[in-house]
């Protein structure tokens, strides 16, 4: 098969981080080529370079054998490259039709012939079995349909090479099958598809070839027919076990959190919980390993009182929970390092100081009359103490929290959450986006809290982090618990297979 695209020695650096490092990738005409890799492996970055959103720090791109410089998404479109992003880029208040023709003027005339264009687009849509209603507004159609609009939009602009970045993440099973039929059709028409996923079953179903990315580097390219899910999973995770610097412990007998047969939207594989049972004991870290979007978010929300399960029970420190509310959980000494520190952990336009006492404003230490009169001096002194203890780097505790670096923001959250000596801590991606120094600090704090008797539920898509910190490891896949392993000498291969949905 003829080569359509070759990316040669592509590197991309963000500050210190190499998101891509000397990556080679070649794509043939009429093939479905999967980029397989864990979160953060560099898949989206490589594709953003291809479509001209990022400029590479090094390397070359060849299209149909000719060296090209893709300096903007517009250039990429001209070269016949289309991309459907993880987050769609449609204008919600416009119709499907207007979204598709947006920015394309086939007609030189001022008045476009809408009926003629509609007919053209419908024909294209039918050719690929896209099943699209042109006159609906984007807000009126399903996520799956929006994705088809994106595909149609790219095809209408003449895409010969189509990049689908994690297209199945937001789809139901039936919609995934529909998408695969479309991909099949694209192949028949001799288009090339770059498919991005970390879901093994899908990769095996849809790919002709697979290139595995790990930590920014392309590990290898394999023919689908000459490989297996096990091999791919191993290559994707593929790491030597580096011994953890932390001692692994057995928790106490006593559980701080227990979930029994918890269901929440259980048929939703990406955002649901299906009969989840697990426990976190006093003085242990239980790590939830799994690829993002397998119910971890919902698990965290149940464990912090944000979501009430539809079935099953939650037992917090030997008491069955009857009232699910964040406040009830905070009162029960549950600390939370939330998934999105800017949205849920901090109030950006409040000061460092205000953020540090955020949960305790009704506390007698800081106010009279349950938050009515704030004791400004007491708050200030407390904030200074925490700032010093946790080495929060800011010009003053009166500075707005949003101006701090990610690491220092996370330190504010940790300081606030841990100062109350919680019994349970739910930590979700606690080091995502942090540099090595801040990451180490967060890890040390968690271990210290564990050793002080706190039970910790750690949810992280970073497998290294799970291995490093967890005393016990639980794997989640499609809303279910796939297995439980000791954190002492964890069976990496078995765990990585479970993460990819294999029993
Ligand atoms: N705009 C950016 N600024 C800084 N770092 C980035 C940016 N985009 C990606 N990264 C980093 O590059 C790495 C690869 O990210 P990404 O390409 O999104 O991975 P993937 O799509 O495989 O999950 C990650 O460490 C990520 O944090
Ligand atoms: Mg990505």
């Amino acid at each position: 098969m003829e080569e359509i695209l070759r990316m040669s020695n592509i590197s991309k650096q963000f500050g210190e981080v190499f998101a891509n490092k000397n990556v080679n990738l070649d794509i043939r005409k009429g093939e479905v080529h999967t980029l397989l890799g864990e979160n953060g492996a560099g898949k989206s970055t490589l594709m953003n370079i291809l479509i001209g959103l990022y400029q590479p720090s090094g390397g070359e791109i060849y299209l149909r054998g000719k060296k090209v410089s893709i300096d903007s998404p517009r250039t990429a479109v001209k070269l016949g490259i289309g991309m459907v992003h993880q987050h769609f880029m449609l204008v919600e208040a416009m119709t499907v039709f207007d979204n598709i023709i947006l920015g394309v003027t086939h007609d030189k005339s001022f008045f476009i012939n809408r009926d003629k264009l509609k007919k053209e687009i419908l024909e294209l849509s039918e050719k690929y079995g896209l099943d699209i209603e042109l006159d609906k507004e984007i807000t009126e159609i399903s996520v799956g349909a929006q994705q088809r609009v994106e595909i149609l939009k790219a095809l209408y602009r003449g895409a010969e090479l189509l990049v689908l970045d994690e297209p199945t993440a937001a789809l139901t099973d039936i919609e995934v099958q529909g998408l695969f039929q479309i991909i099949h059709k694209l192949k028949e028409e001799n288009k090339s598809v770059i498919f991005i996923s970390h879901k093994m079953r899908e990769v095996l179903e849809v790919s002709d070839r697979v290139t595995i990315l790990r930590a920014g580097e392309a590990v290898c390219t394999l023919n689908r027919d000459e490989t297996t899910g096990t091999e791919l999973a191993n290559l994707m995770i593929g790491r030597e076990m580096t011994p953890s610097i932390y001692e692994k412990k057995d928790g106490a007998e006593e559980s701080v959190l227990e979930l029994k047969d918890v269901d929440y939207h259980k048929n939703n594989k990406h955002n649901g919980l299906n009969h989840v049972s697990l426990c976190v004991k006093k003085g242990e870290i239980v790590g939830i390993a799994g690829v993002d979007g397998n119910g971890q978010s919902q698990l965290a929300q149940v464990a912090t009182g944000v979501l009430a399960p539809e079935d099953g029970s939650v037992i917090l420190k030997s008491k069955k929970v009857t009232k699910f509310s964040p406040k009830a959980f905070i009162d029960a000494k549950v600390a939370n390092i939330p998934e999105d520190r800017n949205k849920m952990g901090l109030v950006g336009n409040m000061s460092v100081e205000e953020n540090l006492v955020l949960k305790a404003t009704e506390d007698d230490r800081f106010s009279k009359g349950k938050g009515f009169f704030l004791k400004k001096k007491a708050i200030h002194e407390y904030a200074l103490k925490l700032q010093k203890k946790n080495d929060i780097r800011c010009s003053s505790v009166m500075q707005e929290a949003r101006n701090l670096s990610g690491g220092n923001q996370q330190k504010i959250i940790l300081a606030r959450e841990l100062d109350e000596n919680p019994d349970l801590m739910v930590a979700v991606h606690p080091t995502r986006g942090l540099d090595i120094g801040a990451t180490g600090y967060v890890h040390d704090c968690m271990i210290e809290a564990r050793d002080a008797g706190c039970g910790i539920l750690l949810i992280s898509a970073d497998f290294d982090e799970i291995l490093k910190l967890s005393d016990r490891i639980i794997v989640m896949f499609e809303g279910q618990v796939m297995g439980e392993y000791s954190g002492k000498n964890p069976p990496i291969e078995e765990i990585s297979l479970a993460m990819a949905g294999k029993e």
Side-chain angles (χ1 to χ4, degrees):
M1 265 193 284
E2 185 189 338
E3 175 186 285
I4 176 162
L5 167 76
R6 185 149 49 90
M7 298 181 83
S8 171
N9 266 313
I10 298 287
S11 293
K12 178 71 186 173
Q13 243 176 308
F14 292 108
E16 304 270 281
V17 180
F18 270 99
N20 290 148
K21 200 169 181 185
N22 298 324
V23 174
N24 291 308
L25 176 71
D26 76 276
I27 307 293
R28 297 169 186 165
K29 241 184 136 38
E31 79 164 332
V32 179
H33 194 124
T34 293
L35 291 185
L36 176 69
E38 292 186 287
N39 277 306
K43 306 177 296 287
S44 295
T45 302
L46 188 67
M47 291 301 106
N48 284 330
I49 290 171
L50 177 62
I51 62 144
L53 267 179
Y54 294 159
Q55 290 310 305
S57 325
E60 281 119 42
I61 301 176
Y62 299 85
L63 262 175
R64 299 173 194 88
K66 251 178 62 191
K67 189 170 162 187
V68 290
S69 152
I70 305 176
D71 52 9
S72 73
R74 193 171 277 273
T75 309
V77 169
K78 276 194 198 138
L79 292 168
I81 303 168
M83 176 150 168
V84 177
H85 291 267
Q86 249 161 312
H87 307 284
F88 304 148
M89 300 191 161
L90 299 168
V91 185
E92 292 202 334
M94 284 181 8
T95 63
V96 168
F97 174 69
D98 286 323
N99 266 284
I100 289 173
I101 61 165
L102 192 70
V104 196
T105 36
H106 271 287
D107 278 7
K108 290 273 182 271
S109 60
F110 181 73
F111 296 101
I112 53 170
N113 185 341
R114 294 178 70 92
D115 289 338
K116 189 172 143 249
L117 286 186
K118 262 190 198 168
K119 199 163 152 276
E120 264 176 48
I121 292 171
L122 270 182
E123 276 170 19
L124 192 62
S125 165
E126 272 161 26
K127 181 168 161 189
Y128 290 94
L130 289 168
D131 184 22
I132 280 167
E133 293 173 278
L134 288 180
D135 293 323
K136 286 253 164 85
E137 270 192 20
I138 298 299
T139 48
E140 295 174 298
I141 61 175
S142 69
V143 173
Q146 292 180 19
Q147 185 174 67
R148 295 196 299 276
V149 172
E150 290 274 22
I151 294 174
L152 185 56
K153 197 174 143 187
L155 291 171
Y156 185 63
R157 283 161 175 67
E160 287 297 319
L161 170 63
L162 204 64
V163 180
L164 305 176
D165 193 354
E166 303 209 19
T168 60
L171 300 185
T172 62
D173 272 4
I174 294 174
E175 285 175 320
V176 169
Q177 287 312 317
L179 175 69
F180 286 177
Q181 277 172 19
I182 294 165
I183 291 178
H184 208 79
K185 203 82 196 169
L186 289 163
K187 245 179 79 161
E188 273 175 25
E189 296 293 329
N190 214 17
K191 309 261 180 201
S192 309
V193 176
I194 300 181
F195 176 80
I196 299 185
S197 177
H198 39 224
K199 294 181 198 144
M200 203 56 66
R201 220 182 301 158
E202 296 176 353
V203 172
L204 291 171
E205 186 173 338
V206 82
S207 322
D208 295 309
R209 291 194 301 157
V210 183
T211 293
I212 296 121
L213 285 185
R214 198 198 307 146
E217 298 186 64
V219 180
C220 62
T221 299
L222 297 169
N223 289 328
R224 158 66 186 93
D225 294 338
E226 291 162 13
T227 184
T228 61
T230 311
E231 183 183 28
L232 290 174
N234 282 337
L235 286 166
M236 174 166 87
I237 314 275
R239 61 191 98 223
E240 297 294 306
M241 176 65 173
T242 39
S244 173
I245 52 170
Y246 301 116
E247 188 193 341
K248 299 295 177 86
K249 297 202 167 154
D250 296 320
E253 272 304 301
E254 199 183 333
S255 289
V256 283
L257 174 75
E258 245 185 292
L259 269 65
K260 285 189 182 155
D261 297 328
V262 165
D263 285 341
Y264 179 80
H265 290 194
K266 70 172 173 198
N267 295 320
N268 187 335
K269 294 180 170 163
H270 304 301
N271 303 299
L273 299 171
N274 187 351
H275 255 62
V276 170
S277 297
L278 56 85
C279 79
V280 180
K281 296 186 187 307
K282 215 169 151 10
E284 70 165 350
I285 299 180
V286 175
I288 304 294
V291 171
D292 250 359
N294 277 294
Q296 295 95 326
S297 232
Q298 287 64 38
L299 174 63
Q301 290 178 55
V302 166
T304 52
V306 176
L307 282 183
E310 285 157 3
D311 209 347
S313 50
V314 176
I315 297 138
L316 201 55
K317 294 188 284 177
S318 315
K319 277 202 209 100
K320 187 170 168 189
V321 179
T322 49
K323 183 167 174 260
F324 284 83
S325 80
K327 172 130 190 351
F329 276 60
I330 291 169
D331 291 344
K333 296 190 78 168
V334 177
N336 183 15
I337 311 290
E339 184 162 4
D340 182 335
R341 71 182 74 99
N342 293 306
K343 271 199 205 129
M344 297 185 281
L346 289 174
V347 184
N349 58 6
M350 285 185 10
S351 66
V352 171
E353 174 174 302
E354 286 167 313
N355 273 290
L356 281 168
V357 292
L358 204 56
K359 277 170 138 181
T361 44
E362 291 184 8
D363 194 306
D364 289 342
R365 282 179 299 165
F366 303 126
S367 76
K368 275 188 208 143
K370 292 265 170 234
F372 201 70
F373 291 108
L374 289 178
K375 296 179 180 170
K376 292 256 170 66
K377 191 157 168 268
I379 291 175
H380 190 65
E381 277 166 9
Y382 173 75
L384 286 175
K385 188 191 95 189
L386 284 189
Q387 183 213 356
K388 197 158 169 236
K389 183 170 155 209
N390 296 278
D391 189 28
I392 299 167
R393 308 263 171 94
C394 51
S395 53
S396 126
V397 288
M398 310 304 280
Q399 190 185 349
E400 282 189 9
R402 67 167 149 221
N403 298 326
L404 268 57
S405 71
N408 283 296
Q409 289 179 342
Q410 196 68 316
K411 281 183 186 173
I412 296 177
I413 297 172
L414 274 169
R416 180 182 72 211
E417 299 292 317
L418 288 175
D419 200 54
E420 302 286 320
N421 299 319
D423 294 317
L424 170 68
M425 176 155 95
V426 179
V428 188
H429 309 308
T431 60
R432 187 173 265 182
L434 302 188
D435 62 31
I436 295 171
T439 298
Y441 181 82
V442 171
H443 288 169
D444 288 348
C445 283
M446 290 172 66
I447 294 290
E448 197 181 310
R450 174 198 71 179
D451 291 345
C454 181
I456 299 180
L457 181 66
L458 165 67
I459 297 178
S460 175
D462 178 346
F463 193 38
D464 283 328
E465 178 164 78
I466 295 284
L467 292 174
K468 200 167 176 182
L469 296 178
S470 310
D471 301 304
R472 246 174 341 118
I473 299 172
I474 291 175
V475 175
M476 272 186 77
F477 179 76
E478 298 190 338
Q480 289 178 304
V481 169
M482 297 292 288
E484 193 183 310
Y485 311 87
S486 162
K488 269 176 198 153
N489 283 304
I492 311 254
E493 192 171 322
E494 217 175 306
I495 296 177
S496 52
L497 279 175
M499 282 165 65
K502 297 213 158 189
E503 311 218 8

